[in-house]
Amino acid sequence: MKRTSGPRKSQEIFDATLDLLQDKGYEGLTVEGVAERAGVNKTTLYRWWPSKGALLGAALVNSTRLGFPLPDTGSLQGDLETVLNSVVALLTTQSTANIAIASLGAVAQSPELALHARNFFADRLAREQPILDRAIARGELTPDTDPALLMHLMDMLAGAAWLRVAFRQLPLDAEFVTRTVRTALHGALEQPRPLGHP
């Protein structure tokens, strides 16, 4: 998915938005505060984003701080493990963890921001779609695999990391990523069947 265009200092604006969210929460986030931190005129921000919800939504989608490269390990298991490792890193690195947790709280407070958050997840899924396409091309999944499978897998994997790290605040053992991906792909079967086969 192509990223949204913006003013010349877009990354500075997005970084300032996320920094202010981290420091002051959604209630303390203001367009004026972002403009001051980013060194731009507030009218520039309002020209592109009519509200702080729209601005934060754009920052979540477009900031390079929250991005990670699309993996191509040669297997669906390997690709999903790499993605989950990236999610874990995001949730266990202090600067990005604070932003992620503050964003979750902000979404709960603001129906407007919740709409923009949907764009964030839709953008992530669009970027991750090649993972599913390559798995089908390799024969790991059948050609008629429901495209929604990727969304369900990502929800399970990211949800497991969020619950363990952010809510239960438990440490992650060395096997967490591999075990979680294997369970998402094969369930709790003792001897999982090959993907794409009955």
Side-chain angles (χ1 to χ4, degrees):
M1 182 176 291
K2 186 177 181 181
R3 293 190 170 200
T4 306
S5 59
R8 183 173 53 84
K9 296 181 69 174
S10 291
Q11 282 305 317
E12 290 90 333
I13 292 167
F14 297 146
D15 286 345
T17 302
L18 297 179
D19 287 340
L20 198 58
L21 174 71
Q22 178 181 341
D23 293 347
K24 297 185 178 294
Y26 190 64
E27 287 297 321
L29 175 66
T30 65
V31 173
E32 291 76 13
V34 171
E36 183 178 349
R37 284 199 183 206
V40 299
N41 194 300
K42 68 179 181 180
T43 58
T44 299
L45 301 186
Y46 280 117
R47 189 177 305 126
W48 287 93
W49 304 285
S51 66
K52 72 175 182 179
L55 176 56
L56 179 55
L60 291 173
V61 171
N62 294 290
S63 174
T64 57
R65 192 182 300 182
L66 300 178
F68 45 81
L70 183 71
D72 186 2
T73 65
S75 73
L76 180 58
Q77 173 90 23
D79 286 351
L80 293 178
E81 285 183 17
T82 302
V83 170
L84 184 53
N85 270 313
S86 296
V87 172
V88 167
L90 185 145
L91 293 174
T92 54
T93 302
Q94 184 175 359
S95 58
T96 52
N98 290 341
I99 291 169
I101 292 170
S103 298
L104 180 64
V107 168
Q109 295 175 42
S110 169
E112 180 201 8
L113 182 59
L115 291 175
H116 293 291
R118 292 179 194 172
N119 293 334
F120 171 78
F121 290 109
D123 179 79
R124 282 290 164 91
L125 281 171
R127 292 187 220 174
E128 292 161 351
Q129 183 62 38
I131 292 175
L132 192 66
D133 296 339
R134 289 194 300 258
I136 292 172
R138 288 189 298 260
E140 294 177 286
L141 298 171
T142 59
D144 61 349
T145 296
D146 186 348
L149 174 65
L150 181 65
M151 178 179 66
H152 297 315
L153 287 172
M154 294 306 175
D155 283 351
M156 286 188 284
L157 298 177
W162 270 92
L163 282 171
R164 192 167 185 90
V165 175
F167 293 97
R168 297 173 67 192
Q169 296 187 355
L170 295 173
L172 301 179
D173 59 71
E175 294 300 313
F176 170 79
V177 168
T178 300
R179 185 177 60 249
T180 302
V181 172
R182 186 183 302 123
T183 302
L185 289 176
H186 303 287
L189 296 176
E190 195 169 335
Q191 294 188 354
R193 294 185 292 267
L195 290 170
H197 293 77

